[in-house]
Amino acid sequence: VRYEAMAVLLPGDHRLADRSEIALDALAGESVYAGAGNPRTLEWTELARELFAGHGVEVAAPAPMAVGVAEFRRVMAKTATPVLVVVDYAAMPDTVLRPLVAPVPLSPVSLVWREGLRHPGLDALLGAAGELGAAQGWLERPAGSWLPTTVTASLYGNH
């Protein structure tokens, strides 16, 4: 349905916080939290591992799941670990969100439904997604962008 550009959420005092965007190689030597250890985020963690491979970036060890702003603040204060997010991630106190570049990593968002399912609601949802996607360029890829190999393989039938 859409590609979402990815970003990194940095503690406000992080060495890269003053930059307007972050080249992936600038994170070399860092551990970045990408949901490791959370059974609900396995695909995100694997996407991060693939993205970070060859750039000297590690997926950070599991951290307690932060629910709500107060809990997020507590975990961030304890770990001070950058977090892999999408560019429209909600603002969090004492952090800065910076888009990733070189490459511009894209996180695919898909709709999945049971084969053969026909329903007016599904038809309406697919129609609306198609219209919005076309109007807002949801499937446009910036030059030099990156997609996980599982996505590029499925786009070209190489399962």
Side-chain angles (χ1 to χ4, degrees), residues 19-116:
R19 297 184 184 189
S20 61
E21 57 188 26
I22 308 294
L24 193 55
D25 287 342
L27 289 169
E30 296 274 350
S31 291
V32 177
Y33 182 72
N38 184 340
R40 293 183 286 177
T41 60
L42 296 175
E43 290 177 355
W44 186 252
T45 305
E46 287 307 311
L47 178 148
R49 282 192 176 99
E50 184 179 341
L51 173 64
F52 297 158
H55 293 279
V57 184
E58 297 292 326
V59 172
M65 189 163 148
V67 178
V69 173
E71 187 68 11
F72 180 88
R73 250 186 163 154
R74 186 186 71 71
V75 171
M76 182 62 84
K78 182 178 180 181
T79 65
T81 303
V83 180
L84 185 66
V85 296
V86 293
V87 293
D88 59 358
Y89 192 79
M92 289 289 161
D94 307 318
T95 65
V96 295
L97 186 135
R98 300 294 184 250
L100 288 170
V101 296
V104 175
L106 301 174
S107 171
V109 177
S110 301
L111 289 173
V112 180
W113 59 93
R114 198 173 42 240
E115 185 175 5

Side-chain angles (χ1 to χ4, degrees), residues 14 16 18 60 67 71 77 110 127 142 152 159:
H14 190 275
L16 300 173
D18 62 343
V67 178
E71 187 68 11
S110 301
T152 54
H159 303 277

Side-chain angles (χ1 to χ4, degrees), residues 134-147:
Q136 297 183 13
W138 286 356
L139 292 175
E140 292 175 14
R141 293 180 58 188
S145 62
W146 174 93
L147 282 172

